Amino acid sequence: MAENAIQPVMIPARPVPRAGSDWRRALREAWRDPRALLAHLGHDPDSFALDHADSFPFLVTRAFAARMRPGDRDDPLLRQVLPLADERHAPPGFGADPVGDLAARAGAGLLHKYHGRALFITTGACPIHCRYCFRREFDYAGEQLTTARLQEAVDMLSAQPEIDEIILSGGDPLMLTTERLTRITDALRALPQIRRLRLHSRVPVVLPERINSRLIAWLEHLPWPVVIVIHANHANEFDASVVAALQQLRRAGADVLNQAVLLAGVNDDEVVLEKLMRASHEAGALPYYLHLLDRVRGSAHFEVSEARARMLMVHLRHRLPGYLVPRLVREQAGAGAKQVVAA
């Protein structure tokens, strides 16, 4: 076999969370001290140039951390969450609102960027704090989707029949209780123009315990087709517990897609990207987007040049069947759609 040939992706085995596992307990037990996690992984924390990151605190679930390679300082999963002193660098072009959320605000907790779609900021909570998060400085407290604001948003959307898709985002919408999710979707039932519901969530990858029977029952009883867009950047993020969670979502009738971000030191390599796309598909999520970095302040050390990104896409098109090649996109503030850099 050729030296660079890709072997079939083997999803690492790991105990699958029991049905009804307490996802809230898993959150309480999440790592909140980067030094403690580094020591757990066999590293000397003093050998890393860490940032205290008080404004964007460290948070990573134990399920995600369990997939990190002990002793590997360059582990691609660790790199995504480790607050480094590199975050203090603020070159020109990096800011607090890189994708123009503030200009797209249509009401408290409601964004309207693209024709036919409206996005709800359902919560500021996430089960993991990715250091490249484009909403790391978003004013979640001021945009909290209270019951009154939810009704105001529904009333506003009722006068806009061209909006036929609702996106639940955050933070992470699956951090809400199933009861709270039900209240949101019950309110949306008053909008007869809605044809699709979309959820953007990292939860199935980093907190698979959350995909429990009550959540699945909620999904199964929704009146619209549901698309769930997960977020995984490396093949090592998929293990047996993630596969089981995605299988449950698909059995509930949801279409599952994966979007990734092109990150230096994580996945800026053609072989790594190929493995990611294959692992995503085999786990049950069709590759969807590969994003160029949203230039949020503190993330410059993750940036991959557009020229490099285009070359990686050329290699992917040669290595993968077309349905496994994601679109390389950039989100540009004020644009009416994602800007396709390479398809």
Side-chain angles (χ1 to χ4, degrees), residues 116-138:
R117 289 151 284 175
L119 184 148
F120 283 17
I121 300 290
T122 59
T123 176
C126 276
I128 188 169
H129 287 174
C130 303
R131 308 314 301 178
Y132 53 87
C133 177
F134 68 92
R135 289 198 179 119
R136 57 184 288 171
E137 295 191 40
F138 190 81

Side-chain angles (χ1 to χ4, degrees), residues 246-262:
L246 298 183
Q247 287 176 344
Q248 289 187 76
L249 295 174
R250 294 177 68 193
R251 283 197 294 266
D255 292 318
V256 183
L257 309 174
N258 180 51
Q259 60 180 357
V261 181
L262 187 59

Side-chain angles (χ1 to χ4, degrees), residues 8-90:
V9 176
M10 303 298 292
I11 302 297
R14 183 172 173 270
V16 178
R18 301 187 312 275
S21 291
D22 187 352
W23 59 278
R24 296 177 186 83
R25 178 178 178 181
L27 279 174
R28 290 194 298 271
E29 295 175 348
W31 294 100
R32 288 178 165 79
D33 180 352
R35 294 179 62 85
L37 175 58
L38 287 170
H40 174 77
L41 292 170
H43 299 294
D44 175 6
D46 291 330
S47 69
F48 289 80
L50 296 176
D51 183 57
H52 294 297
D54 293 331
S55 62
F56 189 51
F58 178 83
L59 176 65
V60 57
T61 61
R62 292 187 178 252
F64 191 79
R67 301 168 211 155
M68 297 175 185
R69 297 185 292 249
D72 182 358
R73 5 180 351 110
D74 297 318
D75 180 83
L77 277 59
L78 177 63
R79 181 168 172 79
Q80 293 179 54
V81 299
L82 195 61
L84 298 174
D86 291 337
E87 295 186 21
R88 301 172 196 162
H89 302 314

Side-chain angles (χ1 to χ4, degrees), residues 323-335:
Y323 60 87
L324 292 187
V325 179
R327 282 175 288 174
L328 179 67
V329 297
R330 172 192 289 112
E331 186 157 359
Q332 184 173 319

Side-chain angles (χ1 to χ4, degrees), residues 87-331:
E87 295 186 21
R88 301 172 196 162
H89 302 314
F94 286 77
D97 182 25
V99 300
D101 279 344
L102 295 180
R105 186 179 181 275
L110 180 66
L111 304 182
H112 186 195
K113 288 186 181 181
Y114 304 146
H115 177 77
R117 289 151 284 175
L119 184 148
F120 283 17
I121 300 290
T122 59
T123 176
C126 276
I128 188 169
H129 287 174
C130 303
R131 308 314 301 178
Y132 53 87
C133 177
F134 68 92
R135 289 198 179 119
R136 57 184 288 171
E137 295 191 40
F138 190 81
D139 180 19
Y140 287 110
E143 298 296 320
Q144 185 176 0
L145 190 67
T146 63
T147 300
R149 285 173 171 175
L150 172 61
Q151 189 56 54
E152 290 172 4
V154 169
D155 291 342
M156 185 182 306
L157 293 172
S158 67
Q160 301 182 61
E162 72 280 4
I163 294 178
D164 62 3
E165 179 174 348
I166 298 297
I167 303 168
L168 303 185
S169 183
D172 196 307
L174 294 187
M175 290 288 282
L176 298 175
T177 65
T178 306
E179 291 76 17
R180 178 59 178 154
L181 287 168
T182 300
R183 287 197 291 273
I184 292 174
T185 52
D186 281 352
L188 293 177
R189 289 171 186 261
L191 299 172
Q193 73 265 34
I194 300 304
R195 295 290 178 265
R196 293 172 305 283
L197 181 71
R198 192 190 331 168
L199 290 85
H200 285 197
S201 178
R202 193 132 159 80
V203 159
V205 176
V206 303
L207 188 65
E209 298 94 330
R210 174 66 183 100
I211 313 303
N212 56 25
S213 58
R214 296 183 70 186
L215 182 73
I216 294 301
W218 166 72
L219 280 173
E220 289 175 335
H221 289 88
L222 292 175
W224 318 280
V226 176
V227 177
I228 298 177
V229 183
I230 66 166
H231 175 191
N233 299 313
H234 195 279
N236 292 358
E237 297 182 39
F238 295 97
D239 69 0
S241 64
V242 177
V243 173
L246 298 183
Q247 287 176 344
Q248 289 187 76
L249 295 174
R250 294 177 68 193
R251 283 197 294 266
D255 292 318
V256 183
L257 309 174
N258 180 51
Q259 60 180 357
V261 181
L262 187 59
L263 301 167
V266 174
N267 58 15
D268 56 332
D269 174 90
E270 63 195 76
V271 175
V272 172
L273 285 172
E274 180 182 356
K275 288 181 177 179
L276 168 62
M277 304 313 160
R278 291 186 184 276
S280 176
H281 180 249
E282 291 173 18
L286 190 67
Y288 176 37
Y289 281 149
L290 179 61
H291 287 262
L292 292 175
L293 182 73
D294 294 321
R295 305 184 88 197
V296 68
R297 184 163 44 217
S299 69
H301 56 295
F302 286 113
E303 190 166 45
V304 178
S305 71
E306 182 176 325
R308 171 68 177 156
R310 287 179 179 273
M311 183 56 64
L312 288 169
M313 290 298 295
V314 170
H315 291 304
L316 281 185
R317 283 194 292 270
H318 284 292
R319 302 175 74 106
L320 290 169
Y323 60 87
L324 292 187
V325 179
R327 282 175 288 174
L328 179 67
V329 297
R330 172 192 289 112
E331 186 157 359

